[in-house]
Amino acid sequence: MKQLRPLVAGNWKMNGLQASWDEAERLAGFLSEHASLAADVMLCPPSTLISQFATGLSDSSLLVGGQDCHPEVSGAHTGDIAAEMLADAGATAVIVGHSERRTDHGETSELVRAKAAAAHWAGLMAIICVGETETERKSGETLNIVSTQLAGSLPDGATAANTVIAYEPVWAIGTGLTPTPDDVAEIHAHIRSELNGKLGEEGAQMRILYGGSVKPGNAAELMGVANVNGALVGGASLKADDFWGIASVYLPG
Ligand code: PGA
């Protein structure tokens, strides 16, 4: 099977001010020094920084994405951001359905699917997050939850080029806990088989990221698991050195 080009995406969440440009610039520097890195690398800063980052990084291979978008194109939705606005600011992708959105804002898979469709309409790649809570895991529901979220959140027209899936167990986000490599292998294989079943060859080529407490110290092991095609990184993406410590597992040799 063709080797999928991994994606290492950093989700800055509600962190970052204009001074954080220094970290983006430093990360871009690592990428230009290591053009042989066999992965795409992306930062998803808060919306306020997208334009600054995208403009400043236009000569770099470092990609810029958003963290959420509204399902509608425009309108009376105070405080929300449309996918087209993210694209206009220079983003090429957007995270949708992150567990913090699902929890803090009560987002359903139906809404996530509408957001992913809006992202596609605006020409953005959608990074669709799925993952079980600790309670669901303890009751043995992980695979069911992941299947249900995936089926509900994938929009029509999803392809390997416009969609990435991120498996993020909620209990592993920001906790320092991670599933075992065997658990990750089982869940990613399950997602792969669901994608194959729904989308055929496009599903076989779609990247599946692992997210949840990825750090420089565990990245090589987690990224080495079958069907793990990169990482979605929160806390460890805020510092360029740490984030590079993760992305650099994809240096050849
Ligand atoms: P974490 O967050 O790396 O800080 O655990 C991951 C995420 O929420 O995407």
Side-chain angles (χ1 to χ4, degrees), residues 3 5-8 27-41 61 219-220 223-224 230 240-253:
Q3 191 66 28
R5 184 169 171 87
L7 169 67
V8 182
L27 184 61
F30 289 130
L31 288 175
S32 69
E33 282 162 34
H34 300 91
S36 62
L37 188 82
D40 295 331
V41 181
S61 61
M223 298 305 101
D241 288 350
D242 292 339
F243 195 38
W244 176 248
I246 294 168
S248 60
V249 306
Y250 291 111
L251 278 175

Side-chain angles (χ1 to χ4, degrees), residues 1 25 32 42 54 59 63 79 101 114 121 144 152 170 193 195 242:
M1 203 188 87
E25 196 175 31
S32 69
M42 179 185 293
D59 290 337
L63 303 167
R101 301 286 320 174
W121 178 85
N144 281 340
V170 179
S193 108
L195 291 174
D242 292 339

Side-chain angles (χ1 to χ4, degrees), residues 11 13 98 100 168 172-174 212-214 232-235:
N11 172 10
K13 310 188 180 184
H98 189 280
E100 285 151 18
E168 297 207 304
I173 296 176
S213 296
V214 179
L232 183 54
V233 183

Side-chain angles (χ1 to χ4, degrees), residues 96 112-118 120 126 128 150-159 162-163 165 199:
V96 292
V112 173
R113 173 196 218 131
K115 290 183 172 203
H120 292 164
I128 301 176
L150 194 61
S153 309
L154 255 187
D156 291 344
T159 66
N162 70 18
T163 305
I165 306 300
L199 305 171

Side-chain angles (χ1 to χ4, degrees), residues 119-189:
H120 292 164
W121 178 85
L124 297 178
M125 183 174 81
I127 302 174
I128 301 176
C129 303
V130 298
E132 82 287 1
T133 63
E134 185 173 19
T135 313
E136 290 160 348
R137 172 175 175 249
K138 286 195 170 137
S139 51
E141 291 179 77
T142 297
L143 297 182
N144 281 340
I145 292 290
V146 166
S147 295
T148 307
Q149 289 184 348
L150 194 61
S153 309
L154 255 187
D156 291 344
T159 66
N162 70 18
T163 305
V164 171
I165 306 300
Y167 168 61
E168 297 207 304
V170 179
W171 53 271
I173 296 176
T175 59
L177 303 172
T178 52
T180 64
D182 283 352
D183 286 345
V184 174
E186 183 192 3
I187 297 156
H188 278 238

Side-chain angles (χ1 to χ4, degrees), residues 54-138:
T55 305
L57 294 169
S58 58
D59 290 337
S60 160
S61 61
L62 182 53
L63 303 167
V64 181
Q67 299 177 9
D68 178 52
C69 65
H70 194 277
E72 287 174 30
V73 171
S74 63
H77 303 289
T78 303
D80 279 316
I81 191 153
E84 190 179 29
M85 294 170 182
L86 296 173
D88 188 51
T92 58
V94 60
I95 300 168
V96 292
H98 189 280
S99 71
E100 285 151 18
R101 301 286 320 174
R102 290 182 189 259
T103 305
D104 296 358
H105 300 269
E107 294 193 1
T108 61
S109 289
E110 192 183 5
L111 178 62
V112 173
R113 173 196 218 131
K115 290 183 172 203
H120 292 164
W121 178 85
L124 297 178
M125 183 174 81
I127 302 174
I128 301 176
C129 303
V130 298
E132 82 287 1
T133 63
E134 185 173 19
T135 313
E136 290 160 348
R137 172 175 175 249
K138 286 195 170 137

